[in-house]
Amino acid sequence: MAIIIDGKITSQKVKDEVFSEVKKLTEKGMRKPCLAVVLVGDNEASKIYVRNKKRSCEEVGFISLEYLLPADTNQEELNTLIDSLNSDDTVDGILVQLPLPEGLDEQSVINRISPQKDVDAFHPQNVGRITLGKPSFLPCTPAGVMRLLSEYNIEISGRECVVVGRSNIVGKPMSLLLLSENGTVTVCHSRTYDLAQVTKRADILVVAIGVAKKITADMIKEGAVVIDVGMNRVDGKLCGDVDFESCSKKASYITPVPGGVGPMTIAMLMQNTLTAYKMHINQS
Ligand code: GUN
């Protein structure tokens, strides 16, 4: 039976670290870090994510600003808000919750956010810095996975790492972070001919494809480390992209869903906001 990697405990540890740094800074008379979250429209899942982000900000001692815009907001109105947050000296981090309603151009919104306040690390400048191995911010979900691996002392260097999924938010940056820790990295996706043949090679397997229970025990190596980034709802119940029941009998370590990677994403967002704050106060 695999060791269960506990994202709830680890995310709490990250948030405690952020909280104690904020406490030290505010005791010295400094202002609190501030994260601005923008939500356009009424996507139910996005509303829950935004609520959780706000709650975490309060937990770690940040100021959280929330901008809830109607679904018919146009690009110009959104640009105006982003411009004003960019130039607001009391705002350290800006996050525009994705997906945006149809008609709004996500990439152009991301491009508009000041790279110094881009706590999602989605801006091309930040993506470029990650590619060069010189990041200002690490993308939250892949950074959460890296923290889980280091928390459980899982060696990456030299090992076969297979990432399933090539999204800009998870798969692509995940492969870069594993590479920067000297993993031997392969990226699989929907056009991969024989997925099982590749996943079976993995010492560390990270799955982010959004297909419930896609990875079954016959697709993993005995003793593999299995990280499940999936978050699917099947018959009202949350489940990952990995068939936990069968894979947990064969893996050495495995993340559950919920309670694995999920809670890490927000914790790493708090860490990024603290980083943005420190950069901000050091340059002003
Ligand atoms: N939607 C799903 N995941 C994310 C994320 O990490 N950041 C933002 N801004 N939107 C998302």
Side-chain angles (χ1 to χ4, degrees):
M1 186 69 188
I3 293 171
I4 311 289
I5 296 181
D6 192 326
K8 279 194 249 171
I9 290 178
T10 311
S11 64
Q12 192 56 53
K13 190 170 167 187
V14 173
K15 287 192 280 185
D16 289 346
E17 290 164 6
V18 173
F19 175 79
S20 68
E21 262 203 74
V22 172
K23 190 158 170 275
K24 269 189 227 151
L25 291 162
T26 51
E27 277 169 0
K28 280 196 257 170
M30 320 265 288
R31 68 171 174 84
K32 291 177 172 184
C34 171
L35 174 66
V37 177
V38 180
L39 172 63
V40 188
D42 33 38
N43 180 307
E44 288 307 318
S46 290
K47 279 195 214 165
I48 295 171
Y49 289 137
V50 167
R51 203 183 312 141
N52 290 340
K53 284 168 187 173
K54 187 173 182 203
R55 193 184 313 139
S56 288
C57 280
E58 285 157 9
E59 261 181 71
V60 300
F62 292 172
I63 292 169
S64 110
L65 302 177
E66 224 179 20
Y67 295 85
L68 306 175
L69 307 182
D72 62 359
T73 301
N74 65 34
Q75 194 88 33
E76 230 176 83
E77 291 165 326
L78 190 49
N79 286 346
T80 304
L81 172 60
I82 292 181
D83 291 347
S84 84
L85 295 172
N86 280 341
S87 56
D88 187 335
D89 227 21
T90 65
V91 171
D92 302 294
I94 303 170
L95 181 146
V96 177
Q97 187 66 31
L98 303 178
L100 289 172
E102 242 173 83
L104 291 171
D105 179 354
E106 283 185 359
Q107 193 58 54
S108 109
V109 172
I110 289 167
N111 294 355
R112 193 114 186 162
I113 298 172
S114 158
Q116 286 75 28
K117 296 190 178 187
D118 168 40
V119 285
D120 264 326
F122 290 168
H123 189 283
Q125 185 174 310
N126 286 319
V127 176
R129 295 185 68 100
I130 294 158
T131 309
L132 294 169
K134 305 241 176 291
S136 301
F137 305 108
L138 294 177
C140 301
T141 301
V145 172
M146 297 305 279
R147 176 69 191 246
L148 287 175
L149 294 175
S150 95
E151 205 63 27
Y152 284 78
N153 297 311
I154 293 164
E155 177 80 25
I156 298 167
S157 182
R159 301 182 79 194
E160 288 279 351
C161 303
V162 174
V163 178
V164 188
R166 56 174 159 179
S167 70
N168 289 336
I169 294 186
V170 184
K172 266 189 229 169
M174 187 74 247
S175 64
L176 289 167
L177 298 193
L178 290 165
L179 186 60
S180 72
E181 291 299 322
N182 305 308
T184 302
V185 183
T186 307
V187 181
C188 300
H189 45 78
S190 54
R191 305 282 176 92
T192 298
Y193 277 133
D194 188 346
L195 181 62
Q197 192 216 329
V198 187
T199 56
K200 264 194 265 188
R201 280 211 312 258
D203 299 312
I204 299 171
L205 179 65
V206 182
V207 191
I209 40 172
V211 181
K213 300 186 186 181
K214 172 79 177 170
I215 304 295
T216 44
D218 55 310
M219 298 170 75
I220 69 169
K221 177 157 103 178
E222 189 79 45
V225 175
V226 179
I227 307 289
D228 188 352
V229 186
M231 185 86 83
N232 311 289
R233 211 167 265 283
V234 176
D235 300 329
K237 220 179 136 217
L238 270 186
C239 75
D241 295 347
V242 172
D243 178 31
F244 184 86
E245 168 110 18
S246 67
C247 289
S248 59
K249 296 190 180 100
K250 199 169 176 188
S252 57
Y253 291 86
I254 191 165
T255 60
V257 177
V261 176
M264 293 302 294
T265 300
I266 293 188
M268 303 321 278
L269 173 67
M270 299 299 110
Q271 202 175 66
N272 279 351
T273 305
L274 181 59
T275 303
Y277 165 85
K278 287 195 225 159
M279 286 180 354
H280 193 177
I281 56 176
N282 282 335
Q283 65 181 214
S284 55

PDB file of all heavy atoms in Angstrom, residues 242-274:
ATOM      1  N   VAL A 242      -6.588   9.756 -11.703  1.00  0.00           N
ATOM      2  CA  VAL A 242      -5.960   8.471 -11.392  1.00  0.00           C
ATOM      3  C   VAL A 242      -6.977   7.595 -10.665  1.00  0.00           C
ATOM      4  O   VAL A 242      -7.715   8.078  -9.804  1.00  0.00           O
ATOM      5  CB  VAL A 242      -4.720   8.706 -10.490  1.00  0.00           C
ATOM      6  CG1 VAL A 242      -4.141   7.385  -9.979  1.00  0.00           C
ATOM      7  CG2 VAL A 242      -3.649   9.513 -11.231  1.00  0.00           C
ATOM      8  N   ASP A 243      -7.002   6.322 -11.026  1.00  0.00           N
ATOM      9  CA  ASP A 243      -7.851   5.380 -10.303  1.00  0.00           C
ATOM     10  C   ASP A 243      -7.143   5.033  -8.989  1.00  0.00           C
ATOM     11  O   ASP A 243      -6.274   4.162  -8.942  1.00  0.00           O
ATOM     12  CB  ASP A 243      -8.081   4.127 -11.165  1.00  0.00           C
ATOM     13  CG  ASP A 243      -8.920   3.107 -10.425  1.00  0.00           C
ATOM     14  OD1 ASP A 243      -9.773   3.520  -9.610  1.00  0.00           O
ATOM     15  OD2 ASP A 243      -8.701   1.897 -10.633  1.00  0.00           O
ATOM     16  N   PHE A 244      -7.496   5.784  -7.944  1.00  0.00           N
ATOM     17  CA  PHE A 244      -6.798   5.702  -6.662  1.00  0.00           C
ATOM     18  C   PHE A 244      -6.855   4.292  -6.088  1.00  0.00           C
ATOM     19  O   PHE A 244      -5.849   3.760  -5.603  1.00  0.00           O
ATOM     20  CB  PHE A 244      -7.426   6.700  -5.672  1.00  0.00           C
ATOM     21  CG  PHE A 244      -6.720   6.761  -4.356  1.00  0.00           C
ATOM     22  CD1 PHE A 244      -5.625   7.593  -4.186  1.00  0.00           C
ATOM     23  CD2 PHE A 244      -7.138   5.990  -3.280  1.00  0.00           C
ATOM     24  CE1 PHE A 244      -4.956   7.647  -2.973  1.00  0.00           C
ATOM     25  CE2 PHE A 244      -6.477   6.036  -2.066  1.00  0.00           C
ATOM     26  CZ  PHE A 244      -5.390   6.868  -1.906  1.00  0.00           C
ATOM     27  N   GLU A 245      -8.006   3.699  -6.154  1.00  0.00           N
ATOM     28  CA  GLU A 245      -8.237   2.369  -5.571  1.00  0.00           C
ATOM     29  C   GLU A 245      -7.194   1.346  -6.046  1.00  0.00           C
ATOM     30  O   GLU A 245      -6.539   0.698  -5.246  1.00  0.00           O
ATOM     31  CB  GLU A 245      -9.652   1.931  -5.979  1.00  0.00           C
ATOM     32  CG  GLU A 245      -9.964   0.487  -5.706  1.00  0.00           C
ATOM     33  CD  GLU A 245     -10.971   0.340  -4.588  1.00  0.00           C
ATOM     34  OE1 GLU A 245     -11.653   1.339  -4.292  1.00  0.00           O
ATOM     35  OE2 GLU A 245     -11.051  -0.761  -4.025  1.00  0.00           O
ATOM     36  N   SER A 246      -7.007   1.249  -7.360  1.00  0.00           N
ATOM     37  CA  SER A 246      -6.057   0.243  -7.867  1.00  0.00           C
ATOM     38  C   SER A 246      -4.612   0.751  -7.790  1.00  0.00           C
ATOM     39  O   SER A 246      -3.711   0.001  -7.399  1.00  0.00           O
ATOM     40  CB  SER A 246      -6.420  -0.168  -9.305  1.00  0.00           C
ATOM     41  OG  SER A 246      -6.237   0.902 -10.208  1.00  0.00           O
ATOM     42  N   CYS A 247      -4.383   2.026  -8.112  1.00  0.00           N
ATOM     43  CA  CYS A 247      -2.999   2.527  -8.166  1.00  0.00           C
ATOM     44  C   CYS A 247      -2.355   2.607  -6.773  1.00  0.00           C
ATOM     45  O   CYS A 247      -1.138   2.434  -6.644  1.00  0.00           O
ATOM     46  CB  CYS A 247      -2.947   3.891  -8.850  1.00  0.00           C
ATOM     47  SG  CYS A 247      -3.261   3.791 -10.624  1.00  0.00           S
ATOM     48  N   SER A 248      -3.160   2.848  -5.738  1.00  0.00           N
ATOM     49  CA  SER A 248      -2.576   2.974  -4.397  1.00  0.00           C
ATOM     50  C   SER A 248      -2.008   1.640  -3.910  1.00  0.00           C
ATOM     51  O   SER A 248      -1.203   1.600  -2.985  1.00  0.00           O
ATOM     52  CB  SER A 248      -3.611   3.517  -3.401  1.00  0.00           C
ATOM     53  OG  SER A 248      -4.720   2.656  -3.359  1.00  0.00           O
ATOM     54  N   LYS A 249      -2.396   0.542  -4.541  1.00  0.00           N
ATOM     55  CA  LYS A 249      -1.852  -0.775  -4.149  1.00  0.00           C
ATOM     56  C   LYS A 249      -0.494  -1.029  -4.795  1.00  0.00           C
ATOM     57  O   LYS A 249       0.254  -1.900  -4.359  1.00  0.00           O
ATOM     58  CB  LYS A 249      -2.832  -1.884  -4.550  1.00  0.00           C
ATOM     59  CG  LYS A 249      -4.164  -1.777  -3.810  1.00  0.00           C
ATOM     60  CD  LYS A 249      -5.020  -3.014  -4.028  1.00  0.00           C
ATOM     61  CE  LYS A 249      -6.338  -2.897  -3.279  1.00  0.00           C
ATOM     62  NZ  LYS A 249      -7.452  -2.484  -4.151  1.00  0.00           N
ATOM     63  N   LYS A 250      -0.179  -0.275  -5.838  1.00  0.00           N
ATOM     64  CA  LYS A 250       1.042  -0.542  -6.600  1.00  0.00           C
ATOM     65  C   LYS A 250       2.089   0.570  -6.448  1.00  0.00           C
ATOM     66  O   LYS A 250       3.293   0.335  -6.567  1.00  0.00           O
ATOM     67  CB  LYS A 250       0.653  -0.690  -8.077  1.00  0.00           C
ATOM     68  CG  LYS A 250       1.669  -1.401  -8.920  1.00  0.00           C
ATOM     69  CD  LYS A 250       1.058  -1.713 -10.280  1.00  0.00           C
ATOM     70  CE  LYS A 250       2.059  -2.346 -11.215  1.00  0.00           C
ATOM     71  NZ  LYS A 250       1.509  -2.471 -12.573  1.00  0.00           N
ATOM     72  N   ALA A 251       1.627   1.796  -6.179  1.00  0.00           N
ATOM     73  CA  ALA A 251       2.536   2.952  -6.084  1.00  0.00           C
ATOM     74  C   ALA A 251       3.285   2.924  -4.751  1.00  0.00           C
ATOM     75  O   ALA A 251       2.876   2.219  -3.813  1.00  0.00           O
ATOM     76  CB  ALA A 251       1.719   4.233  -6.195  1.00  0.00           C
ATOM     77  N   SER A 252       4.380   3.718  -4.669  1.00  0.00           N
ATOM     78  CA  SER A 252       5.066   3.874  -3.371  1.00  0.00           C
ATOM     79  C   SER A 252       4.481   5.076  -2.629  1.00  0.00           C
ATOM     80  O   SER A 252       4.353   5.059  -1.405  1.00  0.00           O
ATOM     81  CB  SER A 252       6.574   4.030  -3.569  1.00  0.00           C
ATOM     82  OG  SER A 252       6.850   5.130  -4.414  1.00  0.00           O
ATOM     83  N   TYR A 253       4.151   6.129  -3.399  1.00  0.00           N
ATOM     84  CA  TYR A 253       3.509   7.324  -2.853  1.00  0.00           C
ATOM     85  C   TYR A 253       2.392   7.704  -3.812  1.00  0.00           C
ATOM     86  O   TYR A 253       2.548   7.564  -5.031  1.00  0.00           O
ATOM     87  CB  TYR A 253       4.479   8.511  -2.798  1.00  0.00           C
ATOM     88  CG  TYR A 253       5.594   8.371  -1.798  1.00  0.00           C
ATOM     89  CD1 TYR A 253       6.777   7.704  -2.143  1.00  0.00           C
ATOM     90  CD2 TYR A 253       5.487   8.928  -0.528  1.00  0.00           C
ATOM     91  CE1 TYR A 253       7.812   7.595  -1.233  1.00  0.00           C
ATOM     92  CE2 TYR A 253       6.518   8.820   0.393  1.00  0.00           C
ATOM     93  CZ  TYR A 253       7.676   8.156   0.038  1.00  0.00           C
ATOM     94  OH  TYR A 253       8.695   8.043   0.938  1.00  0.00           O
ATOM     95  N   ILE A 254       1.317   8.260  -3.260  1.00  0.00           N
ATOM     96  CA  ILE A 254       0.212   8.696  -4.123  1.00  0.00           C
ATOM     97  C   ILE A 254      -0.532   9.856  -3.457  1.00  0.00           C
ATOM     98  O   ILE A 254      -0.610   9.918  -2.227  1.00  0.00           O
ATOM     99  CB  ILE A 254      -0.745   7.506  -4.440  1.00  0.00           C
ATOM    100  CG1 ILE A 254      -1.747   7.852  -5.545  1.00  0.00           C
ATOM    101  CG2 ILE A 254      -1.471   7.023  -3.185  1.00  0.00           C
ATOM    102  CD1 ILE A 254      -2.457   6.632  -6.148  1.00  0.00           C
ATOM    103  N   THR A 255      -1.026  10.781  -4.302  1.00  0.00           N
ATOM    104  CA  THR A 255      -1.847  11.878  -3.742  1.00  0.00           C
ATOM    105  C   THR A 255      -3.323  11.512  -3.884  1.00  0.00           C
ATOM    106  O   THR A 255      -3.747  11.009  -4.924  1.00  0.00           O
ATOM    107  CB  THR A 255      -1.600  13.206  -4.479  1.00  0.00           C
ATOM    108  OG1 THR A 255      -1.949  13.050  -5.867  1.00  0.00           O
ATOM    109  CG2 THR A 255      -0.171  13.670  -4.360  1.00  0.00           C
ATOM    110  N   PRO A 256      -4.111  11.775  -2.851  1.00  0.00           N
ATOM    111  CA  PRO A 256      -5.558  11.539  -2.955  1.00  0.00           C
ATOM    112  C   PRO A 256      -6.265  12.727  -3.606  1.00  0.00           C
ATOM    113  O   PRO A 256      -5.682  13.808  -3.704  1.00  0.00           O
ATOM    114  CB  PRO A 256      -5.985  11.419  -1.485  1.00  0.00           C
ATOM    115  CG  PRO A 256      -5.033  12.315  -0.754  1.00  0.00           C
ATOM    116  CD  PRO A 256      -3.732  12.301  -1.516  1.00  0.00           C
ATOM    117  N   VAL A 257      -7.487  12.534  -4.048  1.00  0.00           N
ATOM    118  CA  VAL A 257      -8.359  13.636  -4.494  1.00  0.00           C
ATOM    119  C   VAL A 257      -9.712  13.424  -3.819  1.00  0.00           C
ATOM    120  O   VAL A 257     -10.316  12.359  -4.007  1.00  0.00           O
ATOM    121  CB  VAL A 257      -8.540  13.624  -6.032  1.00  0.00           C
ATOM    122  CG1 VAL A 257      -9.512  14.733  -6.458  1.00  0.00           C
ATOM    123  CG2 VAL A 257      -7.211  13.786  -6.750  1.00  0.00           C
ATOM    124  N   PRO A 258     -10.183  14.352  -3.010  1.00  0.00           N
ATOM    125  CA  PRO A 258      -9.532  15.619  -2.651  1.00  0.00           C
ATOM    126  C   PRO A 258      -8.459  15.428  -1.566  1.00  0.00           C
ATOM    127  O   PRO A 258      -8.285  14.319  -1.060  1.00  0.00           O
ATOM    128  CB  PRO A 258     -10.713  16.442  -2.110  1.00  0.00           C
ATOM    129  CG  PRO A 258     -11.676  15.417  -1.566  1.00  0.00           C
ATOM    130  CD  PRO A 258     -11.525  14.194  -2.430  1.00  0.00           C
ATOM    131  N   GLY A 259      -7.759  16.514  -1.252  1.00  0.00           N
ATOM    132  CA  GLY A 259      -6.798  16.492  -0.136  1.00  0.00           C
ATOM    133  C   GLY A 259      -5.363  16.242  -0.550  1.00  0.00           C
ATOM    134  O   GLY A 259      -4.497  16.014   0.307  1.00  0.00           O
ATOM    135  N   GLY A 260      -5.106  16.267  -1.852  1.00  0.00           N
ATOM    136  CA  GLY A 260      -3.732  16.084  -2.332  1.00  0.00           C
ATOM    137  C   GLY A 260      -3.181  17.392  -2.873  1.00  0.00           C
ATOM    138  O   GLY A 260      -2.861  18.314  -2.112  1.00  0.00           O
ATOM    139  N   VAL A 261      -3.125  17.483  -4.217  1.00  0.00           N
ATOM    140  CA  VAL A 261      -2.563  18.676  -4.865  1.00  0.00           C
ATOM    141  C   VAL A 261      -3.469  19.910  -4.679  1.00  0.00           C
ATOM    142  O   VAL A 261      -2.973  21.024  -4.509  1.00  0.00           O
ATOM    143  CB  VAL A 261      -2.328  18.414  -6.381  1.00  0.00           C
ATOM    144  CG1 VAL A 261      -1.848  19.667  -7.089  1.00  0.00           C
ATOM    145  CG2 VAL A 261      -1.343  17.267  -6.567  1.00  0.00           C
ATOM    146  N   GLY A 262      -4.793  19.699  -4.680  1.00  0.00           N
ATOM    147  CA  GLY A 262      -5.763  20.804  -4.626  1.00  0.00           C
ATOM    148  C   GLY A 262      -5.436  21.889  -3.611  1.00  0.00           C
ATOM    149  O   GLY A 262      -5.263  23.056  -3.978  1.00  0.00           O
ATOM    150  N   PRO A 263      -5.315  21.526  -2.323  1.00  0.00           N
ATOM    151  CA  PRO A 263      -5.064  22.567  -1.313  1.00  0.00           C
ATOM    152  C   PRO A 263      -3.715  23.269  -1.477  1.00  0.00           C
ATOM    153  O   PRO A 263      -3.529  24.380  -0.963  1.00  0.00           O
ATOM    154  CB  PRO A 263      -5.093  21.798   0.014  1.00  0.00           C
ATOM    155  CG  PRO A 263      -5.533  20.420  -0.279  1.00  0.00           C
ATOM    156  CD  PRO A 263      -5.480  20.189  -1.745  1.00  0.00           C
ATOM    157  N   MET A 264      -2.788  22.625  -2.202  1.00  0.00           N
ATOM    158  CA  MET A 264      -1.450  23.222  -2.376  1.00  0.00           C
ATOM    159  C   MET A 264      -1.496  24.448  -3.282  1.00  0.00           C
ATOM    160  O   MET A 264      -0.708  25.380  -3.117  1.00  0.00           O
ATOM    161  CB  MET A 264      -0.482  22.199  -2.984  1.00  0.00           C
ATOM    162  CG  MET A 264      -0.151  21.040  -2.090  1.00  0.00           C
ATOM    163  SD  MET A 264       0.562  21.557  -0.519  1.00  0.00           S
ATOM    164  CE  MET A 264       2.117  22.267  -1.044  1.00  0.00           C
ATOM    165  N   THR A 265      -2.416  24.450  -4.266  1.00  0.00           N
ATOM    166  CA  THR A 265      -2.447  25.540  -5.247  1.00  0.00           C
ATOM    167  C   THR A 265      -2.646  26.888  -4.553  1.00  0.00           C
ATOM    168  O   THR A 265      -1.907  27.845  -4.819  1.00  0.00           O
ATOM    169  CB  THR A 265      -3.562  25.281  -6.286  1.00  0.00           C
ATOM    170  OG1 THR A 265      -3.285  24.050  -6.935  1.00  0.00           O
ATOM    171  CG2 THR A 265      -3.631  26.382  -7.327  1.00  0.00           C
ATOM    172  N   ILE A 266      -3.618  26.946  -3.648  1.00  0.00           N
ATOM    173  CA  ILE A 266      -3.895  28.226  -2.975  1.00  0.00           C
ATOM    174  C   ILE A 266      -2.751  28.585  -2.026  1.00  0.00           C
ATOM    175  O   ILE A 266      -2.373  29.756  -1.919  1.00  0.00           O
ATOM    176  CB  ILE A 266      -5.253  28.180  -2.236  1.00  0.00           C
ATOM    177  CG1 ILE A 266      -6.377  28.069  -3.271  1.00  0.00           C
ATOM    178  CG2 ILE A 266      -5.437  29.416  -1.362  1.00  0.00           C
ATOM    179  CD1 ILE A 266      -7.781  28.198  -2.715  1.00  0.00           C
ATOM    180  N   ALA A 267      -2.186  27.578  -1.367  1.00  0.00           N
ATOM    181  CA  ALA A 267      -1.067  27.858  -0.449  1.00  0.00           C
ATOM    182  C   ALA A 267       0.105  28.490  -1.216  1.00  0.00           C
ATOM    183  O   ALA A 267       0.725  29.459  -0.751  1.00  0.00           O
ATOM    184  CB  ALA A 267      -0.621  26.578   0.246  1.00  0.00           C
ATOM    185  N   MET A 268       0.375  27.974  -2.428  1.00  0.00           N
ATOM    186  CA  MET A 268       1.484  28.520  -3.219  1.00  0.00           C
ATOM    187  C   MET A 268       1.142  29.919  -3.749  1.00  0.00           C
ATOM    188  O   MET A 268       2.024  30.755  -3.922  1.00  0.00           O
ATOM    189  CB  MET A 268       1.861  27.581  -4.386  1.00  0.00           C
ATOM    190  CG  MET A 268       2.246  26.175  -3.989  1.00  0.00           C
ATOM    191  SD  MET A 268       3.241  26.000  -2.492  1.00  0.00           S
ATOM    192  CE  MET A 268       4.867  26.337  -3.089  1.00  0.00           C
ATOM    193  N   LEU A 269      -0.151  30.173  -3.959  1.00  0.00           N
ATOM    194  CA  LEU A 269      -0.585  31.519  -4.351  1.00  0.00           C
ATOM    195  C   LEU A 269      -0.282  32.510  -3.219  1.00  0.00           C
ATOM    196  O   LEU A 269       0.143  33.642  -3.475  1.00  0.00           O
ATOM    197  CB  LEU A 269      -2.087  31.504  -4.674  1.00  0.00           C
ATOM    198  CG  LEU A 269      -2.737  32.855  -4.943  1.00  0.00           C
ATOM    199  CD1 LEU A 269      -2.209  33.474  -6.234  1.00  0.00           C
ATOM    200  CD2 LEU A 269      -4.260  32.715  -5.006  1.00  0.00           C
ATOM    201  N   MET A 270      -0.482  32.068  -1.990  1.00  0.00           N
ATOM    202  CA  MET A 270      -0.174  32.933  -0.845  1.00  0.00           C
ATOM    203  C   MET A 270       1.332  33.214  -0.817  1.00  0.00           C
ATOM    204  O   MET A 270       1.766  34.334  -0.587  1.00  0.00           O
ATOM    205  CB  MET A 270      -0.610  32.270   0.483  1.00  0.00           C
ATOM    206  CG  MET A 270      -2.097  31.980   0.596  1.00  0.00           C
ATOM    207  SD  MET A 270      -3.134  33.461   0.489  1.00  0.00           S
ATOM    208  CE  MET A 270      -3.925  33.247  -1.093  1.00  0.00           C
ATOM    209  N   GLN A 271       2.122  32.162  -1.096  1.00  0.00           N
ATOM    210  CA  GLN A 271       3.572  32.335  -1.111  1.00  0.00           C
ATOM    211  C   GLN A 271       3.991  33.313  -2.214  1.00  0.00           C
ATOM    212  O   GLN A 271       4.828  34.190  -1.996  1.00  0.00           O
ATOM    213  CB  GLN A 271       4.235  30.966  -1.322  1.00  0.00           C
ATOM    214  CG  GLN A 271       5.657  30.922  -0.853  1.00  0.00           C
ATOM    215  CD  GLN A 271       6.222  29.524  -0.964  1.00  0.00           C
ATOM    216  OE1 GLN A 271       6.389  28.985  -2.063  1.00  0.00           O
ATOM    217  NE2 GLN A 271       6.515  28.927   0.159  1.00  0.00           N
ATOM    218  N   ASN A 272       3.373  33.177  -3.396  1.00  0.00           N
ATOM    219  CA  ASN A 272       3.692  34.086  -4.503  1.00  0.00           C
ATOM    220  C   ASN A 272       3.318  35.530  -4.177  1.00  0.00           C
ATOM    221  O   ASN A 272       4.033  36.467  -4.544  1.00  0.00           O
ATOM    222  CB  ASN A 272       2.964  33.667  -5.784  1.00  0.00           C
ATOM    223  CG  ASN A 272       3.681  32.547  -6.509  1.00  0.00           C
ATOM    224  OD1 ASN A 272       4.805  32.173  -6.165  1.00  0.00           O
ATOM    225  ND2 ASN A 272       3.031  31.987  -7.515  1.00  0.00           N
ATOM    226  N   THR A 273       2.193  35.703  -3.496  1.00  0.00           N
ATOM    227  CA  THR A 273       1.760  37.065  -3.152  1.00  0.00           C
ATOM    228  C   THR A 273       2.750  37.696  -2.176  1.00  0.00           C
ATOM    229  O   THR A 273       3.084  38.879  -2.289  1.00  0.00           O
ATOM    230  CB  THR A 273       0.325  37.046  -2.571  1.00  0.00           C
ATOM    231  OG1 THR A 273      -0.528  36.403  -3.514  1.00  0.00           O
ATOM    232  CG2 THR A 273      -0.193  38.452  -2.301  1.00  0.00           C
ATOM    233  N   LEU A 274       3.250  36.882  -1.247  1.00  0.00           N
ATOM    234  CA  LEU A 274       4.269  37.389  -0.312  1.00  0.00           C
ATOM    235  C   LEU A 274       5.546  37.772  -1.078  1.00  0.00           C
ATOM    236  O   LEU A 274       6.161  38.809  -0.819  1.00  0.00           O
ATOM    237  CB  LEU A 274       4.559  36.332   0.761  1.00  0.00           C
ATOM    238  CG  LEU A 274       5.580  36.702   1.825  1.00  0.00           C
ATOM    239  CD1 LEU A 274       5.162  37.946   2.606  1.00  0.00           C
ATOM    240  CD2 LEU A 274       5.807  35.535   2.795  1.00  0.00           C
TER     241      LEU A 274
END
